């Protein structure tokens, strides 16, 4: 049988995932559990960097999930922060699914939506599970870095049952902060405050979301976190090592996140150990560890390719079930061994 190759557009991905935030969150939690059980292969991400363009990068995330999920492939995601000023999102991505019987690639999906959705779902899962253990649901969200990932994460937090009496926004760009504030009001938030200073935002928030593009830590005073907020540190490089050392830290995968100059990586380099990491989100999901209420709690997820693949498989199956798979005729050519 000749293998078929399909292309799945961003519009199809959007249709397959939007409005299904809780389902996507459950899928992402299941993927974390499979990863924790050793049912996945998730090699190191590979960073392609450009010596003359230090802000830009393209990352390859190959991954494989065994068992019923049975999905294998790679996400290839670009981060070009300069795009934003030109009116284009920072991140763009494709994801290739491979068939494990033949190895053949079977589909190419637009993957920026998949990537944002799995990131947001992972953050929402952490927020819900960690705050449940602390015995109090956060009511005051503070967003640092008001871009695409902040927008998706806010949607997933709400869809997973968090309800805010106030949302604060801080961004280096007042235009981005204002745009996100308008978005929040359109989503029904009544109490939205834009903060010029990050100190004011942190003091006002019991749930803090970092989604900046900072390359190096710029929040270094642990006193800013004395009120023990829950911190979703998605951008990974905002917090100084003293803040990390003062907090109860949970990550997605210890080996992965202790790389690439993340705040926890810098903390490991400074201390020479990993003792400051309490465990993984999978450990939280299985109840092996529980977050304390009287210390700041910081979730630092490196972002696992297995999450992208699990969600991509779901999208592929949905599009196929709808009879809407668009295959490329003759994509594979010259398949006869001797011509
Ligand atoms: N951990 C993960 O799994 C994961 C997955 C996807 C994206 N991310 C990260 O999320 C971050 C946000 O991505 P995005 O697509 O929303 O980017 P974006 O460019 O759309 O938005 C980033 C925003 O941060 C603001 N900003 C930059 N530096 C700041 C600072 N020091 N203080 C306050 N605001 C600042 C920018 O003005 C911009 O509005 C990126 O760092 C990306 O790598 C993490």
């Amino acid at each position: 049988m000749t293998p078929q190759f399909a292309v799945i557009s961003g519009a199809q991905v959007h249709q397959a995932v939007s409005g299904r935030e809780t389902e996507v969150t459950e899928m992402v939690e299941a993927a974390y559990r499979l990863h924790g059980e050793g049912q996945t292969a998730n090699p190191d991400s590979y960073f392609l960097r450009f010596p003359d363009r230090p802000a830009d990068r393209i990352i390859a995330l190959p991954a494989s999930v065994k068992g019923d999920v049975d999905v294998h492939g790679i996400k290839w995601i670009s981060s070009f922060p300069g795009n934003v000023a030109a009116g284009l999102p920072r991140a763009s991505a494709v994801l290739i699914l491979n068939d494990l019987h033949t190895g053949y690639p079977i589909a190419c999906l637009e993957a920026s939506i998949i990537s944002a959705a799995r990131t947001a779902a992972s953050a929402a899962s952490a927020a819900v599970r960690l705050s449940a253990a602390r015995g109090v649901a956060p009511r005051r969200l503070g967003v640092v870095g008001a871009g695409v990932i902040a927008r998706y994460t806010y949607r997933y937090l709400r869809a997973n049952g968090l309800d805010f009496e106030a949302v604060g926004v801080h961004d280096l760009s007042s235009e981005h902060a204002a745009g996100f504030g308008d978005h929040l009001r359109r989503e029904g938030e009544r109490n939205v405050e834009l903060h010029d200073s990050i100190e004011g935002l942190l003091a006002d928030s019991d749930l803090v979301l970092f989604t900046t593009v900072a390359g190096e830590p710029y929040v270094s005073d642990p006193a800013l976190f004395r009120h023990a907020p829950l911190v979703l540190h998605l951008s990974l490089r905002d917090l100084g090592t003293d803040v990390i050392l003062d907090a109860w830290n949970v990550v997605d995968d210890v080996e992965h996140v202790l790389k690439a100059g993340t705040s926890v990586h810098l903390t490991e380099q400074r201390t020479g150990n990993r003792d400051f990491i309490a465990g993984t989100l999978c450990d939280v999901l299985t109840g092996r560890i529980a977050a304390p209420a009287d210390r700041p709690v910081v979730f630092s997820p490196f972002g696992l390719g297995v999450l992208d693949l699990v969600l991509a498989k779901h999208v592929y199956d949905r599009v196929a079930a709808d009879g809407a798979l668009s295959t490329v005729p003759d994509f594979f050519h010259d398949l006869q061994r001797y011509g």
Side-chain angles (χ1 to χ4, degrees):
M1 224 172 65
T2 308
Q4 296 292 311
F5 187 79
V7 175
I8 297 180
S9 70
Q12 289 176 299
V13 175
H14 174 78
Q15 202 183 0
V17 300
S18 75
R20 298 200 173 85
E21 287 80 8
T22 50
E23 206 184 322
V24 170
T25 308
E26 282 163 18
M27 261 179 257
V28 161
E29 289 190 344
Y32 276 127
R33 287 175 195 269
L34 288 171
H35 186 61
E37 290 162 9
Q39 294 292 316
T40 62
N42 200 117
D44 286 349
S45 301
Y46 190 88
F47 285 64
L48 175 62
R49 298 188 189 275
F50 311 94
D52 53 340
R53 306 180 62 111
D56 301 336
R57 62 182 189 224
I58 313 181
I59 312 178
L61 291 87
S64 167
V65 186
K66 292 195 279 195
D68 291 346
V69 184
D70 187 25
V71 62
H72 322 275
I74 187 166
K75 180 176 75 168
W76 180 233
I77 182 160
S78 306
S79 172
F80 280 54
N83 284 356
V84 176
L88 261 186
R90 172 193 66 84
S92 59
V94 292
L95 187 149
I96 301 290
L97 291 178
N98 289 80
D99 169 37
L100 200 58
H101 300 292
T102 60
Y104 270 64
I106 55 165
C108 174
L109 294 85
E110 194 290 328
S112 70
I113 295 171
I114 288 172
S115 189
R118 67 77 152 144
T119 303
S122 131
S125 166
V128 169
R129 304 292 184 156
L130 291 166
S131 53
R134 283 157 54 102
V136 15
R139 299 282 289 144
R140 303 180 67 83
L141 171 66
V143 177
V144 187
V148 173
I149 298 297
R151 173 161 60 85
Y152 271 79
T153 305
Y154 169 76
R155 184 189 310 157
Y156 272 75
L157 291 171
R158 292 295 311 273
N160 280 282
L162 295 185
D163 196 16
F164 304 111
E165 67 190 30
V167 183
V169 183
H170 169 73
D171 196 293
L172 288 184
S173 153
S174 53
E175 189 192 329
H176 295 180
F180 192 64
D182 290 344
H183 169 74
L184 292 171
R185 288 186 200 95
R186 282 195 301 274
E187 293 293 304
E189 281 305 331
R190 288 176 305 278
N191 192 358
V192 176
E193 190 179 348
L194 308 187
H195 290 261
D196 291 336
S197 90
I198 187 163
E199 289 81 4
L201 175 119
L202 292 176
D204 265 6
S205 310
D206 55 7
L207 177 63
V208 184
L209 172 65
F210 280 96
T211 40
T212 72
V213 286
E216 288 172 8
Y218 59 95
V219 187
S220 46
D221 183 1
L224 295 170
F225 300 86
R226 286 277 146 78
H227 56 304
L230 176 52
V231 180
L232 304 171
H233 188 205
L234 303 192
S235 35
L236 293 167
R237 296 174 184 85
D238 304 77
L239 303 178
T241 54
D242 285 330
V243 175
I244 295 290
L245 285 173
D246 216 40
W248 190 85
N249 291 282
V250 59
V251 301
D252 55 353
D253 180 297
V254 176
E255 296 299 330
H256 282 264
V257 79
L258 291 174
K259 289 197 174 74
T262 62
S263 296
V264 284
H265 186 205
L266 299 180
T267 309
E268 183 197 33
Q269 288 173 334
R270 179 180 145 191
T271 61
N273 66 61
R274 303 170 169 194
D275 301 348
F276 59 90
I277 296 179
T280 65
L281 184 55
C282 181
D283 294 328
V284 174
L285 295 174
T286 58
R288 199 187 69 78
I289 56 172
D294 58 351
R295 285 178 68 186
V297 170
V298 177
F299 174 54
S300 300
F302 198 64
L304 300 177
V306 293
L307 307 183
D308 297 293
L309 286 182
V310 164
L311 190 47
K313 173 84 174 345
H314 168 79
V315 170
Y316 179 89
D317 289 345
R318 263 209 111 81
V319 174
D322 289 348
L325 262 191
S326 171
T327 52
V328 181
D330 302 324
F331 186 83
F332 296 111
H333 186 66
D334 202 359
L335 299 172
Q336 299 304 319
R337 189 166 181 79
Y338 300 111

PDB file of all heavy atoms in Angstrom, residues 263 275 321:
ATOM      1  N   SER A 263      16.439  29.365  34.871  1.00  0.00           N
ATOM      2  CA  SER A 263      16.730  29.807  36.243  1.00  0.00           C
ATOM      3  C   SER A 263      17.107  28.619  37.123  1.00  0.00           C
ATOM      4  O   SER A 263      17.998  28.729  37.971  1.00  0.00           O
ATOM      5  CB  SER A 263      15.511  30.521  36.835  1.00  0.00           C
ATOM      6  OG  SER A 263      15.243  31.695  36.111  1.00  0.00           O
ATOM      7  N   ASP A 275      19.004  19.616  44.917  1.00  0.00           N
ATOM      8  CA  ASP A 275      18.161  19.386  46.103  1.00  0.00           C
ATOM      9  C   ASP A 275      16.995  20.372  46.198  1.00  0.00           C
ATOM     10  O   ASP A 275      16.023  20.106  46.910  1.00  0.00           O
ATOM     11  CB  ASP A 275      18.997  19.494  47.387  1.00  0.00           C
ATOM     12  CG  ASP A 275      20.139  18.485  47.394  1.00  0.00           C
ATOM     13  OD1 ASP A 275      20.128  17.581  46.536  1.00  0.00           O
ATOM     14  OD2 ASP A 275      21.032  18.626  48.243  1.00  0.00           O
ATOM     15  N   ALA A 321     -11.407  11.488  11.314  1.00  0.00           N
ATOM     16  CA  ALA A 321     -12.758  10.996  11.598  1.00  0.00           C
ATOM     17  C   ALA A 321     -13.807  11.875  10.920  1.00  0.00           C
ATOM     18  O   ALA A 321     -14.881  11.389  10.520  1.00  0.00           O
ATOM     19  CB  ALA A 321     -13.000  10.967  13.108  1.00  0.00           C
TER      20      ALA A 321
END
